[in-house]
């Protein structure tokens, strides 16, 4: 396991990355970063040991040729455009669950915005006790630790913020994503991303919230367990092209931070509007599998707390949790 904070190695890498295809002299790097030439060489050597391909020519210096397909701080950090989210990033090759690691870090005093990413999970968790398929090196398994100034009753709003960000990041990657209540991101009828939120709170204060986000980026159909193949998909399957994982991760964290900032400044109103605009649930006949059994109706709206309002034979019902199955789209004009 490696937990990487920004350091000289990351700075050397960022310097090389900025030069793109050009060579940078060892002298220029050492002058700019205040390191000895020997220290620069040591960092280059360490980076090579981690899978970076760096050319070195005596008269010209160093040139970054290829980076490994990995989601550590060295790969994601230089692409980040955030003030808090991911500025401290804990990367592991394998974890039982990134949410579990994030919980340990939160209990140990982690700051707002710390992120845990694993290349694979051996016990990835979904909502309602399900497992989350987490094969190695293909997808994104990420947990963000938040310390929001919110009463605990409003914490579910943050899950909706996360689904907005996940949906937008998928759209930026070129697929027509939408959100199925409560927080599944779909392309067509198939799920590509899900959110698992956990929190610790006392009656009027939240200690921490963990937003666990799983996005199927480069899984092939054969990577999914057989029973999931008809209901799950990946961005690569949908757009017919692999997704650069580090770029996607940085874009997701930047988008998430923008939505979180808006939520902190203006409350749930704009989140609700944006969520509605991306919803594939509203206006549809649905079956809601809640604790009291399955209930059929038409999904009319989400209320000011994010609960789903469903018009049923016995009136308008409000659901704060549950699973939704989508049926046909209802034509409001009745045509
Ligand atoms: C769901 O749709 O049921 C939620 C899925 C959440 C999966 C993510 S992957 C990263 C984080 N770690 C976990 O164990 N679960 C979440």
């Amino acid at each position: 396991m490696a937990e990487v904070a920004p350091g000289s190695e990351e700075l050397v890498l960022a310097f090389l990355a900025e030069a793109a295809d050009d060579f940078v002299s060892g002298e220029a790097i050492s002058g700019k970063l205040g390191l000895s030439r020997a220290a620069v060489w040591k960092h280059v050597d360490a980076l090579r040991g981690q899978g970076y391909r760096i050319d070195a020519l005596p008269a010209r210096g160093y040139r970054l040729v290829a980076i490994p397909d990995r989601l550590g701080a060295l790969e994601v950090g230089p692409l980040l455009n955030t003030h808090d989210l991911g500025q401290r990033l804990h990367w592991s090759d394998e974890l039982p669950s990134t949410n579990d690691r994030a919980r340990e870090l939160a209990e140990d005093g982690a700051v707002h915005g710390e992120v845990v990413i694993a290349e694979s999970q051996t016990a990835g968790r979904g909502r309602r006790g399900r497992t989350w398929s987490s094969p190695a090196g293909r997808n994104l398994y990420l947990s963000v630790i938040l310390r929001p100034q919110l009463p605990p009753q409003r914490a579910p709003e943050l899950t909706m913020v996360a689904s907005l960000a996940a949906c937008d990041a998928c759209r930026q990657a070129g697929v027509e994503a939408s959100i199925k209540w409560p927080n599944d991101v779909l392309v067509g009828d198939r799920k590509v991303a899900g959110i698992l939120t956990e929190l610790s709170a006392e009656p009027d204060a939240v200690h921490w919230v963990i937003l666990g986000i799983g996005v199927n980026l480069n899984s092939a159909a054969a990577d999914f367990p057989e029973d999931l193949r008809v209901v799950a998909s990946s961005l690569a399957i949908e757009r017919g092209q692999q997704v650069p994982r580090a770029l996607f991760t940085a874009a997701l964290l930047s988008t998430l931070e923008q939505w979180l900032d808006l939520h902190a400044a203006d409350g749930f109103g704009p989140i609700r509007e944006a969520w509605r605009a991306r919803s594939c649930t509203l206006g549809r006949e649905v079956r809601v599998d809640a604790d009291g059994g399955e209930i059929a109706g038409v999904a009319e709206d989400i209320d000011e707390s994010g609960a789903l309002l469903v018009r049923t034979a016995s009136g308008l019902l409000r659901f704060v949790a549950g699973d939704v199955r989508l049926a046909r789209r209802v034509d409001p004009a009745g045509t």
Side-chain angles (χ1 to χ4, degrees), residues 99-114:
N99 267 33
D100 293 349
R101 179 73 190 119
R103 170 190 288 259
E104 289 168 6
L105 290 165
E107 295 291 357
D108 281 354
V111 299
H112 178 82
E114 285 192 33

Side-chain angles (χ1 to χ4, degrees), residues 71 93-94 118-124 132-141 215-225 228 234 245:
L71 299 178
D93 200 29
E94 182 180 282
E119 297 294 332
S120 70
Q121 299 184 116
T122 51
W132 186 258
S133 163
S134 309
R138 297 197 181 287
N139 301 319
L140 173 60
Y141 319 115
V215 188
N216 300 328
L217 296 178
N218 290 325
S219 269
D223 294 326
F224 291 107
L228 291 186
S234 72
R245 294 190 309 139

Side-chain angles (χ1 to χ4, degrees), residues 125-131:
R125 293 184 281 115
R127 288 173 53 243
R128 309 186 96 201
R130 298 189 187 105
T131 56

Side-chain angles (χ1 to χ4, degrees), residues 199-214:
L199 86 159
S200 158
E202 53 191 278
D204 45 359
V206 171
H207 301 142
W208 48 256
V209 169
I210 291 165
L211 296 175
I213 307 177

Side-chain angles (χ1 to χ4, degrees), residues 161 164 256-271 274:
V161 173
L164 272 182
L256 178 57
E257 189 168 85
Q258 283 162 22
W259 284 117
L260 285 168
D261 286 350
L262 183 68
H263 180 252
D266 294 350
F268 188 56
I271 304 302

